[in-house]
Amino acid sequence: MSLSAQDWNKKKCAVVLTYDDALHVHLNNVVPALDSLKLKGTFFLTAAAPAFAKRLPEWKKVAAKHELANHTLFHPCEGNRPGREFVTEDYNLATYSVRRIMDEIKMTNTALEALDGKKERTFAYPCGDTKAGGVSYLEGLQNDFVAARGVQTEMVSLQTPTNLHLIGCYGVNGQTGDELIALVKQAMETNRMIVFLFHGVGGEHGLNVSLEAHRQLLQYLKQHEKDIWNPTFLEAAQYVKAKGTAKK
């Protein structure tokens, strides 16, 4: 396949900004920063999170400019892995059935549709875990979601097939603005898509980036918008699919 260097919607690369877990800082810090520069974000929302359940009218307004995406109802993770002491017994994916996780995911889709009226949706695996009770639920998602984001570190190329239900990303935790911008420059030089995975932005989560570093990244994206496409995760996945580079 021969593709030009301008194949990301006529830009050199694509940069997707994703924010996980439905945090207060996303509404307080991130949305105003994105809106001030007319940039798009994708918010992978955990429907039982206090910052979602208690601020529904605000999320409904966010949906007018950004993507509301599914990050499950309770954010269950496999508790038997190293470093997973935070996983409670009730929400341990290792003891879930596939039906239970799928039911909770479908319920979250219903909650999101009630806010934005949309049926096309994307998903992010909590903690990157794709199994419930040791059984993969990845295939079960494919009828309900256009695409899903994992946590493996990778940039997406239009030259090679991409599994739309396990798209990689770059997790953000403590990087400087210069370090984040360097990754964008790498995506431009290699004509790839980079998906950033944020949690805390200015606090509220153990995985965090400073407000200044986040601001510097956004300003760089805006200053170089002639070369950088900033789609939502859904828009990016639809584009990859339309280009014929999604794995069958």
Side-chain angles (χ1 to χ4, degrees), residues 1 3-4 7-8 12-14 154-164 167-168 187 190-195 236 239-241 243-247:
M1 177 181 294
L3 293 167
S4 75
D7 257 313
W8 290 102
K12 291 181 179 179
C13 71
E154 66 179 4
M155 293 190 190
V156 174
S157 170
L158 289 175
Q159 302 286 352
T160 55
T162 297
N163 183 348
L164 289 182
I167 294 174
T190 57
N191 305 126
R192 297 187 179 228
M193 175 174 74
I194 181 170
V195 178
Y239 188 80
V240 172
K241 185 175 182 179
K243 283 289 182 180
T245 55
K247 283 185 179 178

Side-chain angles (χ1 to χ4, degrees), residues 174-211:
Q175 290 96 324
T176 65
D178 286 343
E179 288 171 328
L180 297 175
I181 290 168
L183 290 170
V184 176
K185 290 179 178 177
Q186 181 183 336
M188 276 198 286
E189 291 165 0
T190 57
N191 305 126
R192 297 187 179 228
M193 175 174 74
I194 181 170
V195 178
F196 282 109
L197 162 54
F198 293 96
H199 289 85
V201 179
E204 201 183 339
H205 198 285
L207 302 173
N208 184 58
V209 67
S210 70
L211 288 174

Side-chain angles (χ1 to χ4, degrees), residues 44-48 52 68-77 91 93 96-114 118-133 135-149 165:
F44 285 108
L45 300 171
T46 303
F52 179 75
L68 304 187
N70 191 320
H71 200 37
T72 72
L73 185 57
F74 299 113
H75 201 292
C77 298
Y91 301 123
L93 260 183
Y96 265 48
S97 65
V98 170
R99 177 170 182 175
R100 179 180 173 185
I101 186 62
M102 290 304 302
D103 283 350
E104 292 180 6
I105 290 169
K106 288 175 184 290
M107 178 58 67
T108 303
N109 264 2
T110 299
L112 296 176
E113 185 180 346
K118 298 175 183 176
K119 293 190 178 296
E120 287 189 311
R121 196 76 57 192
T122 64
F123 179 77
Y125 303 93
C127 300
D129 298 338
T130 60
K131 294 181 178 181
V135 179
S136 173
Y137 67 93
L138 194 151
E139 286 189 11
L141 293 172
Q142 297 189 16
N143 292 329
D144 295 300
F145 296 97
V146 175
R149 198 208 64 214
H165 287 86

